[in-house]
Amino acid sequence: MSEIQNQSTHWADITADKIIREKGEKSLYTCASGITPSGTVHIGNFREIITVELVVRALREKGKNVRFIYSWDDYDVFRKVPKNMPEQEKLEGYLRFPITLVPDTTGRAENYARANEKAVEDILPAVGVHPEYLYQAARYRAGYYAEDIRHALEHRDEIRAILNEYRTEPLPESWWPVAVFSSFTNKDTTTVLSWDGEYGLTYRDDELDKTETIDIRTTPNTKLPWRIDWPMRWVKEGVDFEPGGKDHLTEGGSYDTSKNVVKVFGGEAPVTMRYDFVQIKGHGGKISSSSGDVVDLYDVLEVYPPEIVRYLFVGTRPSAEFAISFDLDVLKIYEDYDNTERIYFGLIQTNDKKREKERRIYELSQVDDRKIPSEPGYQIPFRHLCNYLQIYSGDMEKVLSRLPDATESQKERLRVRMKCAWTWLEKYAPEDFCFSLRSDELYDATVEERKALHELADFVDQYLETKSEKEFSEYIYQTAKDNGMENADFFRLVYQALIGKDKGPKLASFLAACGREKVLEILRRY
RNA sequence: GGGCCGCUAGCUCAGCUGGUAGAGCAACAGACUCUUAAUCUGUGGGUCAAAGGUUCGAUCCCUUUGCGGCUCACCA
């Protein structure tokens, strides 16, 4: 194991090494991630979580003790009502509230933020991600950060100078490094007026023009703005590694100012890594979050099994942008994964370097690194599996009965895969790709056409199960010839007779896949 | 305006700590009287955006330029 680790060139291993090198040998390494649950947490946000998860796994495999924390910034301000949320007008009334005090109009949880959090927390274990969740609203409101807020107030000028370095408009003299939610309205439309040098903070509610003095230890209204909050928490939790999106990791971005602000709190910045955004391809056209139709982890898991979802992220350098596909690329993704798996199990020969790389990608793609499969999945092309599924109208057990040599563990994996395949066929596959065998309604065939179909039925009856695919295709041509039909016309006829379309899967193999019984059941009715 | 990323075969990209380039698809040739991005065999194809520099040696490192994209400078 360690031998493999040492020579691994996978980015997760390289990052783990970097953390150890830069932070030194420690008894505990803290890796952090987090976002604001201000709306449905989409698949782009997942990139950060999975990036940390992979680095955490790499560190643990090097024998390190690791704490993986995930911060929900649920004391953030509700700035905009996402279009995919019900009861828009009601939510409008809560703008400028902390999201933890906004009601959940979807009826899933006690408040808006919690509903979005819960959706993520429920699904992450499915892809092998198990962080320790930290809830910032609860912490702030319980006075957990009171001393840190006071510390920021004490270093007001120093912090302002750091933030001003990159600002076009310098922060005014009257600026304070805290934000206050009004105790009258819950909104952040307030202005801090003064601080008594200890825990007393006086602010004005700008809407009501009312003034109040609060104690930051006991009144749950104060929070630090993002660029101060982030470095403060680095110190609080002793964060050694935390990646960031490219909006944070750019000159003048929040990582830049935070790595200076963190010194005010007596700490240092964690090792970081920039990840690029994730695009979506083939998801019905409506994909932008502004339209409210976000793609989240649930959507992706409907079409890809957990290990393939991981595979997408594992196999791509975080700094590279990539797209998650819901169109025909899905076929290729499955094939790519299977290919990696075949290399892992030595079913495909390749050079050492490539094999080592693919091996590591396969390992990291597995949901549980202690339960890596001991045998490859059942070898059937994804396309073929899709055809089987359609022949049996989505009945997975019937499909499995056609694959008698599959082992139990392979069947388990096939079931997950078929469920995804079926969802894909129903929701995303192109029209041309889909078919279903005729049941009640028959093709309105002419007398000549019926004769041809009868002849084909006889061949099917006699030879479909005994002749090879290639040999059987001879009978198809012969039928066309015997009935004086052009091949193209005859193929069209057979597809119409079986599936009501002009085209379909390659005929000889399609008939074989359907099986003698099913084909005859339909053809004999003409 | 600052910063970051990309520019490699017709297309999408891989190539990672410097040793004169790979995959899939497309193309072409041949199998198959055959369809949905169908199957098999084989072939061709690249001044690694451009120009300098470092080096025995550069797709890779440095500088400059061009083109494309993103991001920060308001909030988080």
Side-chain angles (χ1 to χ4, degrees):
Chain A
M1 195 65 137
S2 62
E3 200 178 314
I4 292 161
Q5 298 308 307
N6 291 339
Q7 56 188 291
S8 170
T9 56
H10 191 272
W11 58 264
D13 295 312
I14 290 171
T15 305
D17 285 336
K18 187 179 176 193
I19 294 165
I20 296 168
R21 192 170 63 242
E22 292 191 11
K23 295 297 178 181
E25 285 296 334
K26 300 179 73 171
S27 57
L28 177 70
Y29 292 88
T30 300
C31 297
S33 178
I35 69 150
T36 298
S38 59
T40 305
V41 177
H42 57 80
I43 193 67
N45 302 128
F46 176 67
R47 187 166 208 180
E48 174 167 309
I49 311 172
I50 190 71
T51 299
V52 178
E53 203 281 327
L54 292 166
V55 171
V56 165
R57 190 181 281 193
L59 276 168
R60 285 184 179 148
E61 286 176 5
K62 288 172 192 299
K64 305 302 180 193
N65 186 23
V66 186
R67 180 170 180 239
F68 177 8
I69 57 177
Y70 193 82
S71 277
W72 286 116
D73 291 340
D74 45 15
Y75 208 35
D76 199 1
V77 182
F78 189 50
R79 293 187 180 75
K80 196 179 157 193
V81 180
K83 294 217 170 72
N84 64 336
M85 293 293 168
E87 299 188 60
Q88 296 273 312
E89 316 74 40
K90 182 178 179 185
L91 290 174
E92 293 281 343
Y94 288 90
L95 288 172
R96 307 315 306 183
F97 275 53
I99 52 176
T100 192
L101 294 183
V102 175
D104 170 31
T105 52
T106 63
R108 293 174 297 170
E110 55 269 37
N111 65 63
Y112 180 85
R114 187 64 201 136
N116 292 320
E117 291 166 7
K118 201 165 173 304
V120 174
E121 293 178 13
D122 288 347
I123 194 73
L124 282 183
V127 285
V129 180
H130 308 274
E132 172 186 339
Y133 298 101
L134 306 181
Y135 304 92
Q136 298 309 325
R139 291 184 149 202
Y140 267 112
R141 292 167 67 80
Y144 184 77
Y145 296 124
E147 293 301 330
D148 306 290
I149 293 171
R150 177 172 168 172
H151 191 81
L153 290 166
E154 283 166 355
H155 295 81
R156 173 194 187 188
D157 293 335
E158 210 178 321
I159 293 172
R160 180 173 50 212
I162 292 168
L163 297 185
N164 276 345
E165 267 181 58
Y166 294 100
R167 293 179 65 96
T168 2
E169 288 286 314
L171 293 162
E173 281 293 309
S174 58
W175 176 85
W176 291 93
V178 290
V180 178
F181 288 109
S182 165
S183 32
F184 308 108
T185 66
N186 286 324
K187 297 185 186 177
D188 74 338
T189 43
T190 61
T191 306
V192 175
L193 300 175
S194 63
W195 168 55
D196 68 2
E198 295 199 17
Y199 300 99
L201 197 65
T202 304
Y203 74 94
R204 180 187 64 231
D205 182 309
D206 298 331
E207 286 187 340
L208 304 176
D209 198 24
K210 288 167 82 171
T211 301
E212 182 187 30
T213 298
I214 55 171
D215 186 318
I216 58 174
R217 291 167 301 185
T218 55
T219 323
N221 297 38
T222 326
K223 77 178 287 259
L224 295 171
W226 164 248
R227 285 182 186 239
I228 304 164
D229 173 76
W230 200 25
M232 179 275 287
R233 286 188 283 110
W234 285 346
V235 177
K236 199 84 176 173
E237 306 297 337
V239 177
D240 296 299
F241 172 69
E242 180 165 1
K246 58 182 174 183
D247 46 342
H248 297 309
L249 277 273
T250 185
E251 182 160 309
S254 53
Y255 182 82
D256 237 25
T257 52
S258 293
K259 76 184 178 204
N260 288 322
V261 171
V262 75
K263 293 174 192 158
V264 173
F265 287 94
E268 60 170 21
V271 170
T272 192
M273 156 177 252
R274 225 184 61 147
Y275 58 82
D276 207 315
F277 301 144
V278 177
Q279 308 283 318
I280 301 296
K281 187 162 172 258
H283 192 274
K286 302 184 297 176
I287 52 163
S288 77
S289 59
S290 62
S291 76
D293 189 19
V294 295
V295 174
D296 64 15
L297 188 51
Y298 288 88
D299 297 320
V300 180
L301 280 169
E302 266 189 355
V303 172
Y304 295 104
E307 64 275 14
I308 297 187
V309 173
R310 288 180 65 101
Y311 173 77
L312 291 170
F313 291 88
V314 171
T316 314
R317 294 189 320 277
S319 63
E321 182 179 291
F322 77 104
I324 292 184
S325 301
F326 288 83
D327 59 8
L328 270 170
D329 283 355
V330 169
L331 300 178
K332 183 167 161 36
I333 301 298
Y334 273 85
E335 295 303 328
D336 285 349
Y337 177 82
D338 288 347
N339 209 45
T340 294
E341 183 177 66
R342 281 192 283 270
I343 290 172
Y344 180 86
F345 285 103
L347 300 180
I348 293 179
Q349 295 308 311
T350 174
N351 64 56
D352 291 352
K353 201 173 169 186
K354 167 117 178 171
R355 185 173 59 240
E356 204 39 63
K357 189 182 161 197
E358 297 291 314
R359 259 185 63 91
R360 190 60 180 144
I361 288 173
Y362 184 77
E363 281 178 358
L364 288 172
S365 298
Q366 302 312 306
V367 170
D368 187 338
D369 55 351
R370 290 158 305 183
K371 289 183 194 159
I372 293 176
S374 55
E375 62 177 347
Y378 189 80
Q379 300 297 302
I380 175 174
F382 187 70
R383 176 185 292 272
H384 201 164
L385 192 64
C386 287
N387 285 340
Y388 267 135
L389 266 175
Q390 295 186 90
I391 288 167
Y392 293 102
S393 310
D395 187 327
M396 302 195 295
E397 296 309 313
K398 281 191 180 151
V399 174
L400 287 176
S401 72
R402 293 293 304 275
L403 312 171
D405 54 330
T407 65
E408 280 310 309
S409 89
Q410 287 176 329
K411 282 183 182 170
E412 271 316 300
R413 279 182 273 172
L414 277 173
R415 285 191 186 96
V416 174
R417 185 171 279 213
M418 283 191 285
K419 200 163 175 236
C420 291
W422 189 245
T423 303
W424 179 71
L425 286 165
E426 293 199 307
K427 291 176 78 165
Y428 306 108
E431 186 56 33
D432 281 353
F433 199 89
C434 302
F435 66 84
S436 61
L437 291 179
R438 280 189 182 274
S439 48
D440 301 330
E441 205 178 319
L442 289 183
Y443 170 63
D444 187 14
T446 64
V447 177
E448 290 78 20
E449 286 173 334
R450 281 173 202 277
K451 184 171 166 291
L453 290 173
H454 290 158
E455 187 175 334
L456 179 67
D458 290 339
F459 282 129
V460 166
D461 195 10
Q462 276 187 64
Y463 302 119
L464 186 63
E465 283 167 353
T466 52
K467 301 284 185 183
S468 74
E469 225 171 270
K470 193 175 176 186
E471 286 173 312
F472 189 79
S473 57
E474 292 301 320
Y475 292 111
I476 298 174
Y477 302 131
Q478 197 186 319
T479 309
K481 201 175 168 187
D482 291 350
N483 290 277
M485 295 176 75
E486 290 296 325
N487 283 306
D489 293 333
F490 182 63
F491 277 98
R492 197 176 307 123
L493 168 64
V494 178
Y495 287 121
Q496 275 296 344
L498 292 173
I499 59 175
K501 296 177 69 169
D502 286 343
K503 296 170 175 179
K506 203 171 165 90
L507 194 53
S509 60
F510 179 55
L511 292 176
C514 290
R516 175 177 159 276
E517 201 180 318
K518 266 198 175 310
V519 175
L520 289 181
E521 187 185 310
I522 299 170
L523 290 185
R524 291 293 192 210
R525 287 161 57 202
Y526 283 96

